[in-house]
Amino acid sequence: MRHPSERLRPLPGSQVEILGGLLADWQRRNREATLPHTVEQLREAGNVDNLRRLLPAADDTVGFRGRYPFLDTDVYKTLEGLVYELGHVDGGLAGELRGFYDEIVGLLERVQAPDGYLNSFYQDPDQPKEPWSDLAWGHELYTFGHLAQAAIAAHRRLGDRRLLDVVVRFADLVVKRFGPGGEEAVCGHPEVEMALVELYRETGDDAYLVQAGLFVDRRGQGRRSGLRHSVFPPSYFQDEVPLRELPSVTGHAVRMAYLAAGAADVAMENGDDSLLDALRRLWADMVATKLYVTGGLGSRHSDEAVGDRYELPSERSYSETCAAIATMQWGWRMFLATGDATYLDTFETVLYNAFAVGPSADGRAFFYDNPLQRRADHEQRSGAEAEGELLRRPWFGCPCCPPNIVRWMSQLGEHLAAERADELVVAGYASARIDGEELAVDMATGYPWDGEVRLTVREAPERPYTLTLRVPGWADADEVRLTVGGETSVPEVTDGWVSARRVWQVGDEVVLRLPMPVRAHGSHPYLDATRGAVAVARGPLVYCVEQQDCGADIDDVTLDVERIAAARTRVDADFESVVVLETEADVSPPSSAELYPVLTGAASRPASADAASTTGLTLVPYFVWGNREVGPMRVWIRRA
């Protein structure tokens, strides 16, 4: 592991502001639509009332609302996102958001128990269960973790430590109960590990880092985990073997990635190379065998689990939106720990596909799970509920994804750049202002629709300094161009990076040009679900076809690689300036209606007849699908 002085330090949101382009559009939608909608739903669903009824004079006739003991987390995740928005929002909207923020902070200060405990489900006077009595499913530490992250954000972005004082009291209780010499146990849903490390970074209290390390290392240690495995086996909880010995990512997808992200934080702070090596191995195996082409993680609905290697069905892909966020959290930390650009490649794939598909175009409806295919008679609805919309819906009985979207969208600027001694590293691309400690640049780009990134120096030290830019793994290095000081070259791309070092002057420009041809992707031969099919991508975006953009049944359409490479790009105003792809496809309906026809010879092709016709085909970015009428959709299209 690098010496701390050489380790990458992420630039916080106060030093990076997204100003334009797709990410800015997403953040504006988040601020103006998703956040107010989520606050409204939290009130209607009773999440806020669950806390309010803990007040001494509260009306206690309604009772706890909701079926899960961790519903406070949805308030805390929303609060975290709200804090980031308050850092740069003016006017009436800011007033409304500030009002909700102050309301919740004041409420939490008043209902916290004298010993620091805080959970509306277990503090419910009608609740027969005692606090800490069901670590596998009660999720009290998971809930605390989200509260801590909201409090840390408020302290950093708003200079308000009221919520941090609440969290420190709760954290001290956690350390007293579960720390060295205390009860050897972990939470059934990891997340607290990340929060404790961040709390250590914010307060300097070593006890919180020690506690995070204990939670990471106790898991999979038999009785030391303290978990009673009910409903699902130990692997569901990542509790079958220690994390350092885990052969592959396993169990509940969100929990797995949250655990790994927290472990990466512990590894960085402790300089724990063996833990980091285990995380490298797990990540590599996940990317090679268990991640969807969209970056989605989790192939099973029954237990929201990762699934086995190469178990990646398109129609039944779970790929929970929260799992996408967790995967990005893990990947970002691995990048900071190693400087390896491949983690950012996956991060970016998840960002623009598996995560971006979650919210609707208007920001007021959401996917819980994210399939890569839908047939005309597909009845799987989003989430566990039996009723409701076939596509995105405004809320859920377990509404973990919408508030998680709120907080992650608000933090996108914190995942664009990092720095270390004498070097500014630009990890992602958007029109943005980046203020490093010594080098400040303005970045202008049409990314991800366009591959040109232009950086203009605004401030610079009077000595040589390095500016490093990422070249995504999908870009052909031989086609990359870099212009520095008016001179254009084919730069040396080293491990996914290009660098320029010089004494910079205010006004200096650096232009990176990334090729963006349309690509055809196949799949590993072991991946049975997509054998004989092709996926289409351009830049970081995966594309799909919806039935309304095809003149034939999309199950009958076949595409060849040459046509994909020759696809035309077009800006579609119906999708607010989204770049769509246009090409021609063959129409090859089945030659037999039998489910399992008899094969009569080596050359027999019973699956389809010869192409009877061709049809025009428009492919749209995967993240925009499902915003029109209900209909079939495919990411993987039969290959001609």
Coordinates of all heavy atoms in Angstrom, one line a residue, residues 231-288:
V231 N -33.9 -17.5 8.2 CA -34.5 -17.2 6.9 C -33.5 -17.6 5.8 O -33.8 -18.4 4.9 CB -34.9 -15.8 6.7 CG1 -35.6 -15.6 5.3 CG2 -35.9 -15.3 7.8
F232 N -32.3 -17.1 5.9 CA -31.2 -17.4 4.9 C -30.0 -17.9 5.5 O -29.8 -17.7 6.7 CB -30.9 -16.1 4.1 CG -32.1 -15.6 3.3 CD1 -32.6 -14.4 3.6 CD2 -32.6 -16.3 2.2 CE1 -33.7 -13.9 2.8 CE2 -33.6 -15.8 1.4 CZ -34.2 -14.6 1.8
P233 N -29.1 -18.6 4.8 CA -27.9 -19.2 5.3 C -26.9 -18.2 5.7 O -27.0 -17.0 5.3 CB -27.5 -20.2 4.2 CG -28.0 -19.6 3.0 CD -29.3 -18.9 3.3
P234 N -25.8 -18.6 6.3 CA -24.7 -17.6 6.7 C -24.1 -16.9 5.5 O -23.8 -15.7 5.6 CB -23.6 -18.5 7.3 CG -24.4 -19.7 7.8 CD -25.5 -19.9 6.9
S235 N -24.1 -17.5 4.3 CA -23.5 -16.8 3.2 C -24.3 -15.5 2.8 O -23.7 -14.6 2.3 CB -23.4 -17.7 2.0 OG -24.7 -18.2 1.6
Y236 N -25.6 -15.6 3.1 CA -26.4 -14.4 2.8 C -25.9 -13.2 3.5 O -25.9 -12.0 3.0 CB -27.9 -14.7 3.2 CG -28.8 -13.5 3.2 CD1 -29.5 -13.2 2.0 CD2 -29.0 -12.8 4.3 CE1 -30.4 -12.1 2.0 CE2 -29.9 -11.7 4.3 CZ -30.6 -11.4 3.2 OH -31.5 -10.3 3.2
F237 N -25.4 -13.4 4.8 CA -24.9 -12.3 5.6 C -23.4 -12.1 5.5 O -22.8 -11.4 6.3 CB -25.2 -12.7 7.1 CG -26.7 -12.9 7.4 CD1 -27.2 -14.2 7.4 CD2 -27.5 -11.8 7.7 CE1 -28.5 -14.4 7.7 CE2 -28.8 -12.1 8.1 CZ -29.4 -13.3 8.0
Q238 N -22.8 -12.7 4.5 CA -21.3 -12.7 4.4 C -20.7 -13.2 5.7 O -19.7 -12.6 6.2 CB -20.8 -11.3 4.0 CG -21.2 -10.8 2.6 CD -22.6 -10.3 2.6 OE1 -23.0 -9.5 3.6 NE2 -23.4 -10.6 1.6
D239 N -21.3 -14.2 6.3 CA -20.9 -14.7 7.6 C -20.5 -16.2 7.6 O -20.4 -16.8 8.7 CB -22.0 -14.4 8.6 CG -21.5 -14.4 10.0 OD1 -20.4 -14.0 10.3 OD2 -22.3 -14.9 10.9
E240 N -20.2 -16.7 6.4 CA -19.8 -18.1 6.4 C -18.3 -18.3 6.7 O -17.9 -19.2 7.4 CB -20.2 -18.7 5.0 CG -20.0 -20.2 4.9 CD -20.6 -20.7 3.6 OE1 -20.7 -19.9 2.6 OE2 -21.0 -21.9 3.6
V241 N -17.5 -17.4 6.1 CA -16.1 -17.4 6.3 C -15.6 -16.0 6.5 O -16.3 -15.1 6.0 CB -15.3 -18.1 5.1 CG1 -15.6 -19.6 5.0 CG2 -15.5 -17.4 3.8
P242 N -14.4 -15.8 7.1 CA -14.0 -14.4 7.2 C -13.8 -13.7 5.9 O -13.5 -14.4 4.9 CB -12.6 -14.6 7.9 CG -12.7 -15.9 8.6 CD -13.6 -16.7 7.8
L243 N -14.0 -12.4 5.8 CA -13.9 -11.6 4.6 C -12.6 -11.9 3.9 O -12.5 -12.0 2.7 CB -14.1 -10.1 4.9 CG -14.0 -9.2 3.7 CD1 -15.2 -9.5 2.7 CD2 -14.1 -7.8 4.1
R244 N -11.5 -12.0 4.6 CA -10.2 -12.2 4.0 C -10.1 -13.5 3.3 O -9.2 -13.7 2.5 CB -9.1 -12.0 5.1 CG -9.0 -10.7 5.8 CD -8.1 -10.7 7.0 NE -8.2 -9.6 7.8 CZ -7.5 -8.5 7.8 NH1 -6.5 -8.5 6.9 NH2 -7.7 -7.5 8.6
E245 N -10.9 -14.4 3.7 CA -10.9 -15.8 3.1 C -12.0 -16.0 2.1 O -12.1 -17.1 1.5 CB -10.9 -16.8 4.2 CG -9.8 -16.7 5.2 CD -10.0 -17.7 6.4 OE1 -10.8 -18.6 6.2 OE2 -9.4 -17.4 7.4
L246 N -12.9 -15.1 1.9 CA -14.1 -15.3 1.1 C -13.6 -15.5 -0.4 O -12.8 -14.7 -0.9 CB -14.9 -14.0 1.1 CG -16.4 -14.1 0.7 CD1 -17.2 -15.1 1.5 CD2 -17.0 -12.7 0.7
P247 N -14.0 -16.6 -1.0 CA -13.5 -16.9 -2.4 C -14.2 -16.0 -3.4 O -13.6 -15.8 -4.5 CB -13.9 -18.3 -2.6 CG -15.1 -18.6 -1.7 CD -14.8 -17.7 -0.5
S248 N -15.4 -15.5 -3.2 CA -16.1 -14.7 -4.2 C -17.1 -13.9 -3.5 O -17.6 -14.2 -2.4 CB -16.7 -15.6 -5.2 OG -17.4 -14.9 -6.2
V249 N -17.5 -12.7 -4.1 CA -18.6 -11.9 -3.6 C -19.8 -12.8 -3.5 O -20.1 -13.6 -4.4 CB -18.9 -10.7 -4.4 CG1 -17.7 -9.7 -4.3 CG2 -19.2 -11.0 -5.8
T250 N -20.6 -12.7 -2.4 CA -21.7 -13.7 -2.2 C -22.8 -13.0 -1.4 O -22.6 -12.0 -0.8 CB -21.1 -14.9 -1.5 OG1 -22.2 -15.9 -1.4 CG2 -20.7 -14.6 0.0
G251 N -23.9 -13.7 -1.3 CA -25.0 -13.2 -0.4 C -25.7 -12.0 -0.9 O -25.6 -11.6 -2.1
H252 N -26.4 -11.4 0.0 CA -27.2 -10.1 -0.3 C -26.2 -9.1 -1.0 O -25.2 -8.7 -0.4 CB -27.8 -9.6 1.0 CG -28.7 -8.5 0.8 ND1 -28.3 -7.2 0.7 CD2 -30.1 -8.5 0.7 CE1 -29.4 -6.4 0.6 NE2 -30.5 -7.1 0.6
A253 N -26.6 -8.6 -2.2 CA -25.6 -7.8 -3.0 C -25.3 -6.5 -2.3 O -24.1 -6.1 -2.3 CB -26.2 -7.6 -4.3
V254 N -26.3 -5.8 -1.7 CA -26.1 -4.5 -1.1 C -25.2 -4.7 0.1 O -24.2 -4.0 0.3 CB -27.4 -3.8 -0.7 CG1 -27.1 -2.5 -0.1 CG2 -28.3 -3.7 -1.9
R255 N -25.5 -5.7 0.9 CA -24.7 -5.9 2.1 C -23.2 -6.3 1.8 O -22.3 -5.8 2.4 CB -25.3 -7.1 2.9 CG -26.7 -6.8 3.4 CD -27.3 -7.9 4.1 NE -28.8 -7.8 4.1 CZ -29.6 -8.1 5.1 NH1 -29.0 -8.6 6.2 NH2 -30.9 -8.0 5.0
M256 N -23.1 -7.1 0.7 CA -21.7 -7.5 0.3 C -20.9 -6.3 -0.1 O -19.7 -6.1 0.3 CB -21.8 -8.5 -0.9 CG -20.5 -8.9 -1.5 SD -19.5 -10.0 -0.4 CE -18.1 -9.0 0.0
A257 N -21.4 -5.4 -0.9 CA -20.7 -4.3 -1.4 C -20.5 -3.2 -0.3 O -19.4 -2.6 -0.2 CB -21.4 -3.6 -2.6
Y258 N -21.4 -3.0 0.6 CA -21.2 -2.1 1.7 C -20.1 -2.6 2.6 O -19.3 -1.9 3.1 CB -22.5 -2.0 2.5 CG -23.5 -1.0 2.0 CD1 -24.8 -1.0 2.5 CD2 -23.2 0.0 1.1 CE1 -25.8 -0.1 2.1 CE2 -24.1 0.9 0.6 CZ -25.4 0.9 1.1 OH -26.3 1.8 0.7
L259 N -20.1 -3.9 2.9 CA -19.1 -4.5 3.7 C -17.7 -4.3 3.1 O -16.8 -3.9 3.8 CB -19.3 -6.0 3.9 CG -18.2 -6.8 4.7 CD1 -18.1 -6.3 6.1 CD2 -18.6 -8.3 4.7
A260 N -17.6 -4.6 1.8 CA -16.3 -4.4 1.1 C -15.9 -3.0 1.1 O -14.7 -2.7 1.3 CB -16.4 -4.9 -0.3
A261 N -16.8 -2.0 1.0 CA -16.5 -0.6 1.0 C -15.9 -0.2 2.3 O -14.9 0.5 2.5 CB -17.7 0.2 0.6
G262 N -16.6 -0.7 3.4 CA -16.2 -0.4 4.7 C -14.8 -1.0 5.0 O -13.9 -0.4 5.7
A263 N -14.6 -2.2 4.5 CA -13.3 -2.9 4.7 C -12.2 -2.1 4.0 O -11.1 -2.0 4.5 CB -13.4 -4.3 4.2
A264 N -12.5 -1.5 2.8 CA -11.5 -0.7 2.1 C -11.1 0.5 2.9 O -9.9 0.9 2.9 CB -12.1 -0.3 0.7
D265 N -12.1 1.1 3.6 CA -11.8 2.2 4.4 C -10.8 1.8 5.6 O -9.9 2.5 5.9 CB -13.1 2.8 5.0 CG -13.7 3.8 4.1 OD1 -13.1 4.4 3.2 OD2 -15.0 4.0 4.2
V266 N -11.2 0.7 6.2 CA -10.3 0.2 7.3 C -8.9 -0.1 6.8 O -7.9 0.2 7.4 CB -11.0 -1.1 7.9 CG1 -10.0 -1.8 8.9 CG2 -12.3 -0.7 8.6
A267 N -8.9 -0.8 5.6 CA -7.5 -1.1 5.1 C -6.7 0.1 4.8 O -5.5 0.1 5.1 CB -7.7 -1.9 3.8
M268 N -7.3 1.2 4.3 CA -6.6 2.4 4.0 C -6.1 3.0 5.3 O -4.9 3.4 5.3 CB -7.4 3.4 3.2 CG -7.5 3.1 1.7 SD -8.3 4.5 0.8 CE -10.0 4.2 1.2
E269 N -6.9 3.2 6.3 CA -6.5 3.8 7.5 C -5.5 3.1 8.3 O -4.6 3.6 8.9 CB -7.7 4.2 8.3 CG -8.7 5.1 7.7 CD -8.1 6.5 7.5 OE1 -7.1 6.9 8.1 OE2 -8.5 7.2 6.5
N270 N -5.6 1.7 8.2 CA -4.7 0.9 9.0 C -3.5 0.4 8.2 O -2.6 -0.3 8.8 CB -5.4 -0.3 9.6 CG -6.4 0.0 10.7 OD1 -6.2 1.0 11.3 ND2 -7.4 -0.8 10.9
G271 N -3.4 0.7 7.0 CA -2.3 0.2 6.1 C -2.3 -1.3 6.1 O -1.2 -1.9 6.1
D272 N -3.5 -1.9 6.0 CA -3.6 -3.3 6.1 C -3.6 -3.9 4.6 O -4.6 -4.0 3.9 CB -5.0 -3.6 6.7 CG -5.1 -5.1 7.1 OD1 -4.5 -6.0 6.4 OD2 -5.9 -5.4 8.0
D273 N -2.4 -4.3 4.2 CA -2.2 -4.8 2.9 C -2.9 -6.1 2.6 O -3.4 -6.4 1.5 CB -0.7 -5.0 2.6 CG 0.0 -3.7 2.4 OD1 -0.6 -2.7 1.9 OD2 1.2 -3.6 2.7
S274 N -3.0 -7.0 3.6 CA -3.7 -8.3 3.4 C -5.1 -8.1 3.2 O -5.7 -8.8 2.4 CB -3.4 -9.2 4.6 OG -4.0 -8.8 5.8
L275 N -5.8 -7.2 3.9 CA -7.2 -6.9 3.7 C -7.4 -6.3 2.3 O -8.3 -6.7 1.6 CB -7.7 -6.0 4.8 CG -9.2 -5.6 4.8 CD1 -10.1 -6.9 4.7 CD2 -9.5 -4.7 5.9
L276 N -6.5 -5.4 1.9 CA -6.7 -4.8 0.6 C -6.5 -5.8 -0.5 O -7.2 -5.8 -1.5 CB -5.7 -3.6 0.5 CG -5.8 -2.8 -0.8 CD1 -7.2 -2.1 -0.8 CD2 -4.7 -1.8 -0.9
D277 N -5.5 -6.7 -0.3 CA -5.3 -7.8 -1.3 C -6.6 -8.6 -1.4 O -7.0 -9.0 -2.6 CB -4.1 -8.6 -0.9 CG -2.8 -7.9 -1.1 OD1 -2.8 -6.9 -1.9 OD2 -1.8 -8.4 -0.6
A278 N -7.2 -8.9 -0.3 CA -8.5 -9.7 -0.4 C -9.6 -9.0 -1.2 O -10.3 -9.6 -2.0 CB -8.9 -10.1 1.0
L279 N -9.6 -7.7 -0.9 CA -10.6 -6.9 -1.6 C -10.3 -6.8 -3.1 O -11.2 -6.8 -4.0 CB -10.7 -5.5 -1.0 CG -11.2 -5.5 0.4 CD1 -11.0 -4.1 1.1 CD2 -12.7 -5.9 0.5
R280 N -9.1 -6.7 -3.5 CA -8.7 -6.7 -4.9 C -9.2 -8.0 -5.5 O -9.7 -8.0 -6.6 CB -7.2 -6.6 -5.0 CG -6.5 -5.3 -4.7 CD -5.0 -5.5 -4.9 NE -4.2 -4.4 -4.5 CZ -3.7 -3.4 -5.3 NH1 -4.0 -3.4 -6.6 NH2 -2.9 -2.5 -4.8
R281 N -8.9 -9.1 -4.9 CA -9.3 -10.4 -5.4 C -10.8 -10.5 -5.6 O -11.3 -11.0 -6.6 CB -8.7 -11.5 -4.5 CG -9.1 -12.9 -4.9 CD -8.5 -13.9 -3.9 NE -8.6 -13.6 -2.5 CZ -9.7 -13.8 -1.8 NH1 -10.8 -14.3 -2.4 NH2 -9.7 -13.5 -0.5
L282 N -11.5 -10.1 -4.6 CA -13.0 -10.2 -4.6 C -13.5 -9.3 -5.8 O -14.4 -9.7 -6.5 CB -13.6 -9.8 -3.3 CG -13.4 -10.8 -2.2 CD1 -13.8 -10.2 -0.8 CD2 -14.2 -12.1 -2.4
W283 N -13.0 -8.1 -5.9 CA -13.4 -7.2 -6.9 C -13.2 -7.8 -8.3 O -14.1 -7.7 -9.2 CB -12.7 -5.8 -6.8 CG -13.1 -4.8 -7.8 CD1 -12.6 -4.7 -9.1 CD2 -14.1 -3.8 -7.8 NE1 -13.2 -3.7 -9.8 CE2 -14.1 -3.1 -9.0 CE3 -15.0 -3.4 -6.8 CZ2 -15.0 -2.1 -9.3 CZ3 -15.9 -2.4 -7.0 CH2 -15.9 -1.7 -8.3
A284 N -12.0 -8.3 -8.5 CA -11.6 -8.8 -9.8 C -12.5 -10.0 -10.2 O -12.9 -10.1 -11.3 CB -10.1 -9.3 -9.8
D285 N -12.8 -10.8 -9.2 CA -13.7 -12.0 -9.5 C -15.1 -11.5 -9.8 O -15.8 -12.0 -10.7 CB -13.7 -12.9 -8.3 CG -14.6 -14.1 -8.5 OD1 -14.2 -15.0 -9.3 OD2 -15.7 -14.2 -7.9
M286 N -15.6 -10.5 -9.1 CA -16.9 -9.9 -9.3 C -17.0 -9.4 -10.7 O -18.0 -9.7 -11.5 CB -17.2 -8.8 -8.3 CG -18.5 -8.1 -8.5 SD -18.8 -6.7 -7.4 CE -17.6 -5.5 -8.1
V287 N -16.0 -8.6 -11.1 CA -16.1 -7.9 -12.5 C -16.0 -9.0 -13.6 O -16.6 -8.9 -14.6 CB -15.0 -6.9 -12.6 CG1 -14.9 -6.4 -14.0 CG2 -15.2 -5.7 -11.6
A288 N -15.2 -10.0 -13.3 CA -15.0 -11.0 -14.4 C -16.1 -12.0 -14.5 O -16.3 -12.6 -15.6 CB -13.7 -11.8 -14.1

